[in-house]
Amino acid sequence: MLTAAVSRVLSGVTQKPASRVLVASCKYSNNATFEIKKCDLYRLEEGPPVTTVLTREDGLKYYKMMQTIRRMELKADQLYKQKFIRGFCHLCDGQEACCVGLEAGINPTDHVITSYRAHGLCYTRGLTVRSILSELTGRRGGCAKGKGGSMHMYAKNFYGGNGIVGAQGPLGAGIALACKYKGNNEVCLTLYGDGAANQGQISEAYNMAALWNLPCIFICENNRYGMGTSVERAAASTDYYKRGNFIPGLRVDGMDILCVREATKFAADYCRSGKGPMLMELLTYRYHGHSMSDPGISYRTREEIQSVRSKSDPIMLLKDKMVNNKLASVEELKEIDAEVRKEIDDAAQFAMTDPEPPLEELGHHIYSSNPPFDIRGANQWIKFQSIS
């Protein structure tokens, strides 16, 4: 049984076509006010607002970012099946409102750390599609020079991509400790999934963050399945926003970008004010399986997935809001879709043709002096040569 946040039904949309050259025309509104779903609260008297303003500029930016992440993940699926991408690959299509909404609620100088389902956050933190896809294919143009792959990508103020389930929890608390130590009024978003929420190290991180009053926002992306196990079968309590016990919590509609944005702003303001950490649970859904090795339909039905797509898709929700309130036209959004498809196709072509990193660089960034690779071999008499 899906939650109300995942199962909400939207009304149909009709809109007269308009050309994108009419951006400055009075046909468009500059902004619109929307009612958003009230968050469930824990140890809080007041929560985020239940109304918010969306400007036309922000709406178009959010739409393009979410479409880019969606298309990028679908392209990664294609490249994986063509064997350009190998190894682990965890896609986040369906969860675009989470990564874009979180970024919209913080400052570029704030910090983010997450699990291995990281591609969307890599993009919102400033990495290009080309650098992400090239990293997935293991090419030297990748954001980690082709040596990190799907689970280990980094950007300014973005600390990965972590392959160990739940390992980013204590690390995020440590980043928040650095923020407090430096007194820079910055916060750290520490993301993990519902599967990792049962890890002991997550509870340890809660305790340290509360004990030391750290500006850390713990964010549980509850996409309802930890690998192939539903939350109801894995957790004695599925109220993840209450798991902090002594830490205040919010449960947020993670399929609505405006809900995520306002909740993130609220949580960030709370942490910046010196009140300590906060816990957020984002109710969301992933369309793909846990990873590319998981078809995703052995533990849930195709009908369930299609139901979420048709009723609660985050891109569709934003598109309907914008079109119905004259912030954009259907034709204008179609032009953005075309731009995004071209950007993704160009990036994929680069990711397939860019050279692999030479073998001589395989040992780089391990020692400060970047010694040659031959000292890293298991047999000291064998010398390796690059064929790239």
Side-chain angles (χ1 to χ4, degrees), residues 147 361-373 375-377:
K147 296 187 288 184
E361 292 184 6
L362 194 57
H364 287 193
H365 308 108
I366 297 174
Y367 298 107
S368 60
S369 58
N370 289 337
F373 175 72
I375 74 162
R376 302 288 298 167

Side-chain angles (χ1 to χ4, degrees), residues 332-347:
E332 183 178 22
L333 297 180
K334 284 183 178 179
E335 288 188 30
I336 292 177
D337 295 346
E339 291 175 10
V340 168
R341 281 195 295 271
K342 185 179 186 308
E343 179 187 2
I344 300 299
D345 288 342
D346 291 347

Side-chain angles (χ1 to χ4, degrees), residues 247-266:
I247 299 176
L250 300 170
R251 182 157 60 191
V252 184
D253 181 356
M255 303 299 274
D256 185 340
I257 185 174
L258 299 183
C259 286
V260 177
R261 183 188 71 177
E262 295 307 310
T264 306
K265 287 180 179 179
F266 175 86

Side-chain angles (χ1 to χ4, degrees), residues 65-131:
M65 291 179 75
M66 288 203 290
Q67 275 289 20
T68 300
I69 294 169
R70 175 71 56 85
R71 292 284 176 182
M72 179 177 70
E73 295 294 66
L74 294 178
K75 181 60 71 172
D77 172 281
Q78 179 183 338
L79 292 174
Y80 194 96
K81 291 171 179 174
Q82 293 173 340
K83 300 189 185 304
F84 283 104
I85 298 173
R86 296 174 181 270
F88 295 105
C89 187
H90 306 81
L91 305 181
C92 69
D93 48 319
Q95 301 182 196
E96 294 87 356
C98 294
C99 43
V100 178
L102 290 170
E103 186 65 34
I106 59 173
N107 303 322
T109 52
D110 289 322
H111 309 269
V112 179
I113 187 169
T114 189
S115 68
Y116 39 75
R117 201 178 305 280
H119 305 162
L121 284 167
C122 289
Y123 178 73
T124 59
R125 284 270 86 184
L127 293 179
T128 63
V129 176
R130 174 180 286 198
S131 71

Side-chain angles (χ1 to χ4, degrees), residues 282-338:
L282 303 181
L283 293 171
T284 186
Y285 197 84
R286 56 169 163 79
Y287 294 153
H288 267 83
H290 169 73
S291 68
M292 284 302 297
S293 61
D294 168 25
I297 53 172
S298 59
Y299 49 88
R300 58 183 184 175
T301 64
R302 295 182 187 273
E303 290 74 23
E304 177 185 304
I305 302 168
Q306 186 55 41
S307 175
V308 176
R309 282 184 179 275
S310 62
K311 298 174 183 178
S312 302
D313 182 81
I315 297 176
M316 180 187 71
L317 291 179
L318 178 62
K319 178 180 179 179
D320 289 351
K321 283 185 173 74
M322 294 180 67
V323 172
N324 287 342
N325 289 271
K326 297 184 178 180
L327 294 175
S329 69
V330 172
E331 289 303 316
E332 183 178 22
L333 297 180
K334 284 183 178 179
E335 288 188 30
I336 292 177
D337 295 346

